[in-house]
Structure formats: structure tokens, C-alpha cells
Amino acid sequence: MRILVVGASGTIGSEICKALAHHELIRAGRNGLDVSVDNTSVQSIQDMYKKIGKIDAVVNAAGGANFASITELTPEINERGIESKLKGQINLVLLGLEYVNDGGSFTLTTGVMMDDPIRMGASAAMANGGVKSFVKAASIEMPRGIRINSVSPTIVEESFERLEKFFVGFTPVPASRVARAYQKSVEGAQTGQNYEIY
């Protein structure tokens, strides 16, 4: 398969590339290894798809949100989660549909915070929940046998030391284990799923 991996150089993205290395990969990101893309820009996403052409799968491991307490969360601070984690991922689907071959797939990223809340995580949880709902609803209308799923990772071992203060009591998992859920989505047959990795 010819697979686009957005966020390929990140902690999880690099493990996804290892798990899918037996396919032809196009590695994208802000400083993309093969192609550059800013997922907050519709034009940038369109330019990326035009450049790479037809593909069999899109995997997204990119998208961020700001951490802030509810009393400090402003519309401006919240906007990053909306623009990047929520709209950025959804726009990868909306703008990428015509480029994905029949029977292809999209795999997006949500996260544990929407189901297991942490302090300062409301903005990220909002974006994650929106993506999860979009995937579930969109799956029943995807054309040409195209599938769509999302992966909801808990905190990964590689980031735990840096983020442990936010994820007190959580059990981290290796990013390589998270990557297997993306492989399941790409190479399997399911659709409308949110794979929770604990």
C-alpha cells in the first residue's frame, strides 16, 4: 500500500512508520521528511495532497492542544486544540477523500483524556471527543468502501518523565504498542472504531 503518515517524525509517528515499513510510506509534517504540511492550513493540506497524488491510506499522528486549567482557559488558548487537533484532522479527511483509493482508509488520533480526565486537559479532551464523534458518524457515509478509525493512546513511556505531573497514577505504554493499533486500522477491516490503548 501507499500510505501517507502525517506527524511521521513524532514519538508515536516514528513508531507508526516502523510498524508500516513494509509499505510505501510518504512521511509528512511541519518539517516533513518527504512532504511538508501545516494541518492548521487548508491550503497547505490541499497542496500536500496535490503533490503526492493517489494513496491507499492516511494516518495522522499530528495535532496539538494547549494545557490550561478551566479558570485560565480563554478562547484564544482553546483555539489551538480546535484548529490543530480537531479541524486539522477532520480537514485531512474532507480534503483527502478524492485522493484515497477505493477500499482505502483514514486513521486519526484522539487520546485518553477525553475518557479519563486530567487537570488542565479540558481543551485537549474537547478536541479528542470531537474527533471520536466525527469518526463514528462519518464511518457510515464514507464512499467507495473507504474506512475511518481513530486511535486513543494513553501516555506513552517515551513522554512519561516529561509529562508525569499531568498523568499521576497512569500506567504508560510503549509507543511501539500504540503503533500497532494504527497498523490494525490500516491493514484490518474495521471502520468507525476508536481503539483505546491502555
Side-chain angles (χ1 to χ4, degrees):
M1 284 190 276
R2 191 165 190 259
I3 302 170
L4 170 67
V5 180
V6 181
S9 61
T11 302
I12 293 174
S14 58
E15 291 295 330
I16 292 170
C17 289
K18 290 177 187 176
L20 297 173
H22 51 290
H23 298 288
E24 179 188 348
L25 300 182
I26 303 161
R27 299 163 297 172
R30 282 188 181 273
N31 301 302
L33 300 168
D34 299 313
V35 62
S36 295
V37 65
D38 173 3
N39 78 340
T40 66
S41 164
V42 168
Q43 187 64 55
S44 180
I45 294 171
Q46 288 174 327
D47 290 345
M48 173 191 66
Y49 279 126
K50 286 176 186 173
K51 184 174 182 179
I52 66 174
K54 293 289 188 178
I55 45 180
D56 298 300
V58 176
V59 176
N60 182 67
N66 287 320
F67 282 63
S69 68
I70 281 295
T71 56
E72 298 170 333
L73 189 63
T74 63
E76 293 76 21
I77 292 171
N78 194 46
E79 198 65 23
R80 182 177 176 222
I82 295 170
E83 288 294 323
S84 178
K85 187 85 185 210
L86 181 58
K87 283 172 60 178
Q89 294 201 85
I90 290 170
N91 286 341
L92 279 173
V93 177
L94 301 181
L95 300 172
L97 271 174
E98 65 180 294
Y99 293 94
V100 172
N101 292 323
D102 294 3
S105 69
F106 290 90
T107 307
L108 307 182
T109 299
T110 58
V112 68
M113 289 176 283
M114 65 181 172
D115 296 311
D116 199 352
I118 63 169
R119 287 188 180 94
M120 302 178 72
S123 186
M126 167 209 68
N128 289 339
V131 173
K132 177 183 177 182
S133 295
F134 174 80
V135 165
K136 184 176 182 180
S139 69
I140 67 170
E141 294 187 301
M142 296 295 278
R144 299 181 285 107
I146 296 173
R147 299 176 299 104
I148 184 169
N149 297 299
S150 55
V151 176
S152 178
T154 188
I155 185 68
V156 294
E157 289 176 355
E158 292 84 347
S159 305
F160 192 58
E161 186 175 340
R162 181 170 53 90
L163 298 173
E164 185 175 5
K165 63 182 178 182
F166 297 111
F167 292 91
V168 176
F170 282 68
T171 302
V173 301
S176 58
R177 183 176 158 207
V178 173
R180 293 184 69 83
Y182 292 86
Q183 183 181 10
K184 178 180 182 180
S185 176
V186 171
E187 297 180 351
Q190 297 177 348
T191 192
Q193 303 300 305
N194 180 63
Y195 300 116
E196 297 176 0
I197 313 301
Y198 288 104

